[in-house]
Coordinates of all heavy atoms in Angstrom, one line a residue:
W656 N 0.9 -1.2 0.0 CA 0.0 0.0 0.0 C 0.9 1.2 0.0 O 1.6 1.5 1.0 CB -0.9 0.0 1.2 CG -2.1 -0.8 1.1 CD1 -3.4 -0.4 0.8 CD2 -2.2 -2.3 1.1 NE1 -4.3 -1.5 0.7 CE2 -3.6 -2.6 0.9 CE3 -1.3 -3.3 1.4 CZ2 -4.0 -3.9 0.9 CZ3 -1.7 -4.6 1.4 CH2 -3.1 -4.9 1.1
T657 N 0.9 2.0 -1.1 CA 1.9 3.1 -1.2 C 1.2 4.4 -1.6 O 0.2 4.4 -2.3 CB 2.9 2.7 -2.2 OG1 2.3 2.7 -3.5 CG2 3.6 1.4 -1.9
P658 N 1.8 5.5 -1.2 CA 1.3 6.8 -1.7 C 1.5 7.1 -3.2 O 2.2 6.3 -3.8 CB 2.0 7.8 -0.8 CG 2.7 7.0 0.3 CD 2.9 5.7 -0.3
T659 N 1.1 8.2 -3.6 CA 1.4 8.7 -5.0 C 2.9 8.8 -5.1 O 3.6 9.2 -4.1 CB 0.8 10.0 -5.3 OG1 -0.6 9.9 -5.3 CG2 1.2 10.6 -6.6
G660 N 3.5 8.4 -6.2 CA 5.0 8.3 -6.3 C 5.6 9.5 -7.1 O 4.9 10.5 -7.3
T661 N 6.8 9.2 -7.6 CA 7.5 10.3 -8.2 C 7.2 10.5 -9.6 O 7.8 11.4 -10.3 CB 9.1 10.0 -8.0 OG1 9.3 8.7 -8.6 CG2 9.4 10.0 -6.5
N662 N 6.3 9.8 -10.2 CA 6.0 10.0 -11.6 C 5.2 11.3 -11.8 O 5.2 11.9 -12.9 CB 5.0 8.9 -12.2 CG 5.8 7.6 -12.5 OD1 6.9 7.4 -11.9 ND2 5.3 6.8 -13.4
V663 N 4.6 11.8 -10.7 CA 3.8 13.0 -10.8 C 4.6 14.2 -10.6 O 5.1 14.5 -9.5 CB 2.6 13.0 -9.8 CG1 1.8 14.2 -9.8 CG2 1.8 11.7 -9.9
P664 N 4.9 15.0 -11.7 CA 5.9 16.1 -11.6 C 5.4 17.4 -10.9 O 6.2 18.1 -10.4 CB 6.2 16.4 -13.1 CG 4.9 16.1 -13.8 CD 4.3 14.9 -13.0
D665 N 4.1 17.6 -10.9 CA 3.6 18.8 -10.2 C 2.2 18.5 -9.6 O 1.2 18.7 -10.2 CB 3.5 20.0 -11.2 CG 3.2 21.3 -10.5 OD1 2.5 21.3 -9.4 OD2 3.8 22.4 -10.9
Y666 N 2.2 18.0 -8.4 CA 1.0 17.5 -7.8 C -0.1 18.6 -7.7 O -1.2 18.3 -8.0 CB 1.3 16.9 -6.4 CG 0.1 16.2 -5.7 CD1 0.0 14.8 -5.8 CD2 -0.8 17.0 -5.0 CE1 -1.1 14.2 -5.1 CE2 -1.9 16.3 -4.4 CZ -2.0 15.0 -4.5 OH -3.1 14.4 -3.8
P667 N 0.2 19.8 -7.2 CA -0.8 20.8 -7.0 C -1.5 21.1 -8.3 O -2.8 21.2 -8.4 CB -0.1 22.0 -6.5 CG 1.1 21.4 -5.7 CD 1.5 20.3 -6.6
K668 N -0.8 21.2 -9.4 CA -1.4 21.6 -10.7 C -2.2 20.4 -11.3 O -3.3 20.6 -11.8 CB -0.3 22.0 -11.7 CG 0.3 23.4 -11.5 CD 1.2 23.8 -12.6 CE 1.7 25.3 -12.5 NZ 2.6 25.4 -11.3
L669 N -1.7 19.2 -11.2 CA -2.3 18.1 -11.8 C -3.5 17.6 -11.0 O -4.5 17.1 -11.5 CB -1.3 17.0 -12.0 CG -0.2 17.3 -13.0 CD1 0.8 16.1 -13.1 CD2 -0.7 17.5 -14.4
A670 N -3.4 17.6 -9.6 CA -4.4 17.0 -8.8 C -5.8 17.7 -9.0 O -6.8 17.1 -8.9 CB -4.0 17.1 -7.3
Q671 N -5.8 19.0 -9.2 CA -7.0 19.8 -9.3 C -7.8 19.4 -10.6 O -9.0 19.5 -10.7 CB -6.8 21.3 -9.3 CG -5.9 21.8 -10.4 CD -5.6 23.3 -10.3 OE1 -6.4 24.0 -9.5 NE2 -4.6 23.8 -10.9
L672 N -7.1 18.8 -11.6 CA -7.8 18.4 -12.8 C -8.7 17.2 -12.5 O -9.7 17.0 -13.2 CB -6.7 18.0 -13.9 CG -5.7 19.1 -14.3 CD1 -4.7 18.5 -15.3 CD2 -6.4 20.3 -14.9
W673 N -8.3 16.4 -11.6 CA -9.1 15.1 -11.3 C -10.5 15.4 -10.8 O -11.5 14.9 -11.4 CB -8.3 14.2 -10.4 CG -7.1 13.6 -11.0 CD1 -5.9 14.2 -11.4 CD2 -7.0 12.3 -11.4 NE1 -5.1 13.3 -12.0 CE2 -5.7 12.1 -12.0 CE3 -7.8 11.1 -11.3 CZ2 -5.2 10.9 -12.5 CZ3 -7.3 9.9 -11.8 CH2 -6.0 9.8 -12.4
W674 N -10.6 16.2 -9.8 CA -12.0 16.4 -9.3 C -12.8 17.2 -10.2 O -14.0 17.0 -10.3 CB -11.9 17.0 -7.9 CG -11.4 18.5 -7.8 CD1 -10.2 18.9 -7.6 CD2 -12.3 19.6 -7.8 NE1 -10.1 20.3 -7.5 CE2 -11.4 20.8 -7.6 CE3 -13.6 19.9 -7.9 CZ2 -11.9 22.1 -7.6 CZ3 -14.1 21.2 -7.9 CH2 -13.3 22.2 -7.7
Q675 N -12.2 18.1 -11.0 CA -13.0 18.9 -11.9 C -13.6 18.0 -13.1 O -14.8 18.1 -13.4 CB -12.2 20.0 -12.5 CG -11.8 21.1 -11.5 CD -10.7 22.0 -11.9 OE1 -10.1 21.8 -12.9 NE2 -10.4 23.0 -11.1
N676 N -12.7 17.2 -13.6 CA -13.2 16.3 -14.8 C -14.1 15.2 -14.3 O -15.1 14.9 -14.9 CB -12.0 15.8 -15.5 CG -11.4 16.9 -16.4 OD1 -11.9 17.2 -17.5 ND2 -10.2 17.4 -16.0
I677 N -13.7 14.5 -13.2 CA -14.5 13.4 -12.7 C -15.8 13.9 -12.2 O -16.8 13.3 -12.3 CB -13.7 12.6 -11.7 CG1 -12.6 11.8 -12.4 CG2 -14.6 11.7 -10.9 CD1 -11.5 11.2 -11.5
G678 N -15.8 15.1 -11.5 CA -17.0 15.7 -11.0 C -18.0 16.0 -12.1 O -19.2 15.8 -11.9
E679 N -17.5 16.3 -13.3 CA -18.5 16.5 -14.4 C -19.1 15.2 -14.8 O -20.3 15.2 -15.1 CB -17.7 17.1 -15.6 CG -17.3 18.6 -15.4 CD -16.5 19.2 -16.6 OE1 -16.2 18.4 -17.5 OE2 -16.1 20.3 -16.5
A680 N -18.4 14.2 -14.8 CA -19.0 12.9 -15.1 C -20.0 12.4 -14.1 O -21.1 12.0 -14.4 CB -17.9 11.8 -15.3
V681 N -19.6 12.6 -12.8 CA -20.5 12.2 -11.7 C -21.8 13.0 -11.7 O -22.9 12.4 -11.4 CB -19.8 12.4 -10.3 CG1 -20.7 12.1 -9.2 CG2 -18.6 11.4 -10.3
A682 N -21.7 14.2 -12.1 CA -22.9 15.1 -12.2 C -23.7 14.9 -13.4 O -24.8 15.5 -13.6 CB -22.5 16.6 -12.1
G683 N -23.2 14.0 -14.3 CA -24.0 13.7 -15.6 C -23.8 14.8 -16.6 O -24.5 14.8 -17.6
E684 N -22.8 15.6 -16.5 CA -22.5 16.7 -17.5 C -21.8 16.2 -18.7 O -22.0 16.8 -19.8 CB -21.7 17.9 -16.8 CG -22.5 18.5 -15.7 CD -21.6 19.4 -14.8 OE1 -20.5 19.7 -15.3 OE2 -22.0 19.9 -13.7
V685 N -21.0 15.2 -18.5 CA -20.3 14.6 -19.6 C -20.3 13.1 -19.5 O -20.5 12.6 -18.4 CB -18.8 15.1 -19.8 CG1 -18.8 16.6 -20.0 CG2 -18.0 14.7 -18.5
T686 N -19.9 12.3 -20.5 CA -19.8 10.9 -20.4 C -18.5 10.5 -19.7 O -17.6 11.3 -19.6 CB -19.9 10.2 -21.8 OG1 -18.7 10.6 -22.5 CG2 -21.1 10.6 -22.5
V687 N -18.4 9.2 -19.3 CA -17.2 8.7 -18.7 C -16.1 8.8 -19.6 O -15.0 9.2 -19.3 CB -17.4 7.2 -18.2 CG1 -16.1 6.6 -17.9 CG2 -18.3 7.2 -17.0
D688 N -16.3 8.4 -20.9 CA -15.2 8.5 -21.9 C -14.7 9.9 -22.1 O -13.5 10.1 -22.1 CB -15.7 7.9 -23.2 CG -15.9 6.4 -23.3 OD1 -15.6 5.8 -22.2 OD2 -16.3 5.9 -24.3

């Protein structure tokens, strides 16, 4: 069981993309694809 590793070059900039895009799918605004 391990944390996020060193492949992620800028966690603050990249992490915010996840909740924004996934949130749109969860809300039914866009498809999963």
Side-chain angles (χ1 to χ4, degrees):
W656 277 256
T657 67
T659 296
T661 57
N662 285 24
V663 181
D665 192 324
Y666 186 98
K668 284 188 174 70
L669 295 175
Q671 62 186 339
L672 302 176
W673 286 72
W674 69 270
Q675 292 166 355
N676 284 284
I677 288 169
E679 290 179 355
V681 175
E684 297 168 11
V685 300
T686 66
V687 166
D688 287 358

